[in-house]
Amino acid sequence: MEVQPEAGDSQVAIRNIERELICPACKELYTHPLILPCQHSICHKCVKELLFMTLEDSTDVSSEASTPGSPRVRIQSPSLERIDRLLRSGSKRNSLTPRITSLSCPGCLRDVDLGERGINGLFRNFTLENIVERYRQAARAATAIMCDYCKPPIQESTKSCMDCSASFCNECFKINHPWGTIKAQHEYGPPTTSFRPKVLMCPEHESEKVNMYCEICRRPVCHLCKLGGTHANHRVTTMSNAYKTLKEKLTKGISYLISKESQVKTQISELEILIRRTESNGNRAVEEATYNFDKLFSILEERKTFVLQSIQGSQSSRLEKLQSQLEEYQGLLENSGLVGYAQEVLKETDHSCFVQTAKQLHTRIQKASESLKTFRPAADSSFEDYFVDVSKEENLLTDLSFSKALDVPEINTDESKVYNNAKICWNHPNDSGLADSYILEYRKLDKNEDPTWNEIEAGSTSKVISDLDLNSSYCFRVQSLRGSMCSPHSKEVILQTPPAPVYSFLFDDKCGYNKERLMLNDKRNIVESVAGHPLLLGAERVQVGCYMCLDYIIGDTGITRGKHFWAFSVESYSYMVKVGVASDIKLQEWLHNPRDISSPRYDQDSGHDSGSEDVAFDSSQPFTLATIGMRKLFIPKACNVSTSYGERVLPLPSRIGVCLDYEKGKVGFYDATSMKCLYEREVDCIGTMYPAFALMGGGAIRLEEVITAKHLDYSHEI
């Protein structure tokens, strides 16, 4: 057996593994853990309690309800004495109490069979027990372990003897382990309260040491187990081989996890963000639900007040009318009301006075008589018109539920552009389920960078991000927000920033600009090749259709140092377009001594493929250009290309980028969407270098908005 390692060597690491030292049954630190057949470890007392609960359920020992599962949820924990008594009674022959040898493992929630020996056939996990003890010591570093042999006053122990299973101070250790005796050979280590045997014994054959490992049952066994026991027909290996194999597997697994530490930290950061967001969104959802229900309650209270007031007002008006009619009819009775009054008038003997009163009274008597013939109540007693039908509303409230989940947005890689700044655009599937706002997240893909996502809130379906590093890859994702609802994250999109700062310019409408065959827009960011008026006016003399020469145009600002990048797009219908850079010195020479390459006397190719003609022609050009046409990008054939490419014909990118490194004398052509270098070559950087373009036949070039941003004020996004 190995000597127990120093308790203080890894206190910090020990304190960080508490989760692995908690029993899945009692949720506390392991105490004498046993290894179940499913390889999960459980405290010795917890195994007994689980067996007792299984026994109690099967025999109906108690009428009290027993909850299966974790002992922590049981109503009343039985005493260990009662458990031992019941388990012993169940193990006796001819016992009326059934024998229980299976239980439900709290770790994997599967039923496991403990075998004929039951709990006595389980191995004690001494390694785990030792780690738990080291954890306890690290947690109570200030609590000393006292000597077991000292007489008062008891001294603090300095070492523990594994053979004696006791702790000693220096003096007591010398006394109990004198030199020249067998005890002097005892194995000792730092102070501990957890002692384990020097040799692991077989639980089925208690006098035998385990010296083999059963690969079927995945547990140590002794030679008797293999010869005639339950492992007789199982495949076994030596303990040393099992130790070596399992240690290699464990080491490899640990190494893999350690190598993925940055990935784990990234996922931990994402989980922490999700936890905070879940708390925030959950609280917001509760607030919104409370607000909406309060609003419904308010509307119901308002309608309730209105309906009740309407009913009560109608009731009062009807009662008033009916009461008045009642009193009127009561007056028609003898000696009361109208009849009584008329009877009193009949007693008048003075003719003049009688006539004066009787006329009006007679009219009232006639009306009362007519009302008796056509009796009609003054008001309706029914309130059917005031019945409130809430059946539809009741169904709506019964079906009241959560609104439809938000659609997951998708980042539009065609519209998204990354230069000095990044403009990220996204949309919803089928343009439905628009949100109130969005959260755009991004992070730099670099091992040395913080893996945490940066968040920016956006009110529309696009957002501009500034201050990005050059020649770097960034990962972007977006999610929708509507109130407390948030959609899942979109699919992550990786975009590359350009290799150099973006260079801003417009097309120059002066130097070498052919107004007859080139047409610039007012903003000078789009140039188009046209036939021109002279050619059209002389069209009747044209017998063969061909274009005679290229029309050149350059940028209005030049480069004298540094590394710069610009981008543009070429219309797909373009016949032939050349793009690249031009030197002002060579450009002046070219403009003063133009060469008519369309002349029959000028033959560029002598018929062989030595490349000398291409080199001579290329050196005489003021431009270093790549050719575009028929929706393809054609790589020039030259011997001074610094990077070799297998194919000279490439698909035309939707956006093309050019990068000029003045100091290194190199120009590169890029797919400006993916920032992939398609072609790079050396260039003679002398004087001032200008972005250069040439067109032949129909075609058009459009500068990216970011390239013209410093010159024009029409760019709203970047």
Side-chain angles (χ1 to χ4, degrees), residues 518-638:
L518 293 180
M519 185 170 61
L520 271 175
N521 66 341
D522 295 337
K523 299 172 183 177
R524 292 196 290 132
N525 67 322
I526 301 176
V527 61
E528 186 176 1
S529 175
V530 295
H533 289 168
L535 179 61
L536 295 175
L537 289 173
E540 66 274 7
R541 297 191 300 271
V542 176
Q543 300 299 325
V544 180
C546 69
Y547 292 99
M548 305 303 295
C549 62
L550 288 165
D551 296 306
Y552 294 94
I553 188 169
I554 63 174
D556 61 352
T557 57
I559 300 171
T560 57
R561 61 180 179 179
K563 189 176 182 180
H564 304 275
F565 179 89
W566 58 92
F568 52 89
S569 59
V570 177
E571 295 296 339
S572 59
Y573 64 83
S574 299
Y575 177 68
M576 187 173 76
V577 174
K578 289 193 173 187
V579 296
V581 294
S583 165
D584 64 336
I585 298 176
K586 288 189 176 183
L587 187 61
Q588 291 177 9
E589 295 176 357
W590 178 272
L591 294 176
H592 286 92
N593 301 296
R595 293 165 174 79
D596 186 7
I597 65 171
S598 63
S599 172
R601 295 189 299 270
Y602 182 84
D603 188 4
Q604 175 182 334
D605 195 346
S606 62
H608 57 81
D609 292 331
S610 64
S612 59
E613 295 87 353
D614 296 330
V615 175
F617 174 74
D618 186 70
S619 62
S620 67
Q621 301 295 303
F623 302 94
T624 300
L625 303 172
T627 304
I628 297 170
M630 301 175 64
R631 299 182 181 179
K632 302 290 183 182
L633 175 65
F634 298 86
I635 305 301
K637 182 180 179 182

Side-chain angles (χ1 to χ4, degrees), residues 208-229:
E208 298 294 330
K209 302 177 183 178
V210 293
N211 53 8
M212 289 180 286
Y213 182 80
C214 178
E215 296 180 350
I216 305 299
C217 301
R218 295 182 298 174
R219 60 176 290 171
V221 295
C222 67
H223 68 283
L224 293 180
C225 294
K226 175 60 179 172
L227 289 176

Side-chain angles (χ1 to χ4, degrees), residues 364-645:
R364 293 178 61 189
I365 292 294
Q366 283 182 327
K367 289 183 178 180
S369 300
E370 292 176 358
S371 66
L372 289 175
K373 296 176 182 179
T374 58
F375 174 74
R376 181 179 298 172
D380 187 5
S381 63
S382 173
F383 279 80
E384 293 181 357
D385 295 341
Y386 288 88
F387 175 74
V388 180
D389 184 8
V390 296
S391 57
K392 293 182 179 179
E393 290 75 8
E394 185 178 357
N395 291 333
L396 288 175
L397 290 174
T398 303
D399 296 336
L400 184 64
S401 183
F402 302 106
S403 59
K404 182 181 178 182
L406 291 174
D407 292 329
V408 181
E410 297 176 355
I411 294 181
N412 191 327
T413 54
D414 294 331
E415 296 183 5
S416 299
K417 302 176 183 179
V418 177
Y419 297 110
N420 292 348
N421 298 332
K423 179 185 177 183
I424 308 300
C425 303
W426 57 88
N427 48 40
H428 286 82
N430 303 322
D431 295 328
S432 62
L434 293 179
D436 298 334
S437 60
Y438 305 88
I439 295 294
L440 176 62
E441 300 180 3
Y442 69 97
R443 62 185 177 91
K444 185 178 179 181
L445 299 181
D446 190 341
K447 294 182 179 179
N448 299 325
E449 292 289 330
D450 185 359
T452 305
W453 290 87
N454 301 295
E455 295 184 358
I456 297 180
E457 188 170 357
S460 61
T461 55
S462 65
K463 189 66 177 179
V464 176
I465 304 173
S466 57
D467 300 328
L468 299 181
D469 296 335
L470 294 173
N471 200 23
S472 302
S473 296
Y474 283 86
C475 188
F476 299 89
R477 67 185 185 186
V478 66
Q479 66 176 161
S480 307
L481 298 178
R482 185 194 297 156
S484 61
M485 297 173 57
C486 60
S487 72
H489 286 100
S490 67
K491 183 179 179 181
E492 296 180 2
V493 173
I494 298 176
L495 298 176
Q496 178 81 18
T497 55
V502 171
Y503 186 67
S504 299
F505 63 90
L506 298 174
F507 288 121
D508 191 349
D509 57 356
K510 298 180 179 60
C511 182
Y513 173 62
N514 190 332
K515 296 183 179 180
E516 294 183 356
R517 292 194 296 270
L518 293 180
M519 185 170 61
L520 271 175
N521 66 341
D522 295 337
K523 299 172 183 177
R524 292 196 290 132
N525 67 322
I526 301 176
V527 61
E528 186 176 1
S529 175
V530 295
H533 289 168
L535 179 61
L536 295 175
L537 289 173
E540 66 274 7
R541 297 191 300 271
V542 176
Q543 300 299 325
V544 180
C546 69
Y547 292 99
M548 305 303 295
C549 62
L550 288 165
D551 296 306
Y552 294 94
I553 188 169
I554 63 174
D556 61 352
T557 57
I559 300 171
T560 57
R561 61 180 179 179
K563 189 176 182 180
H564 304 275
F565 179 89
W566 58 92
F568 52 89
S569 59
V570 177
E571 295 296 339
S572 59
Y573 64 83
S574 299
Y575 177 68
M576 187 173 76
V577 174
K578 289 193 173 187
V579 296
V581 294
S583 165
D584 64 336
I585 298 176
K586 288 189 176 183
L587 187 61
Q588 291 177 9
E589 295 176 357
W590 178 272
L591 294 176
H592 286 92
N593 301 296
R595 293 165 174 79
D596 186 7
I597 65 171
S598 63
S599 172
R601 295 189 299 270
Y602 182 84
D603 188 4
Q604 175 182 334
D605 195 346
S606 62
H608 57 81
D609 292 331
S610 64
S612 59
E613 295 87 353
D614 296 330
V615 175
F617 174 74
D618 186 70
S619 62
S620 67
Q621 301 295 303
F623 302 94
T624 300
L625 303 172
T627 304
I628 297 170
M630 301 175 64
R631 299 182 181 179
K632 302 290 183 182
L633 175 65
F634 298 86
I635 305 301
K637 182 180 179 182
C639 65
N640 59 340
V641 176
S642 60
T643 305
S644 60
Y645 293 87

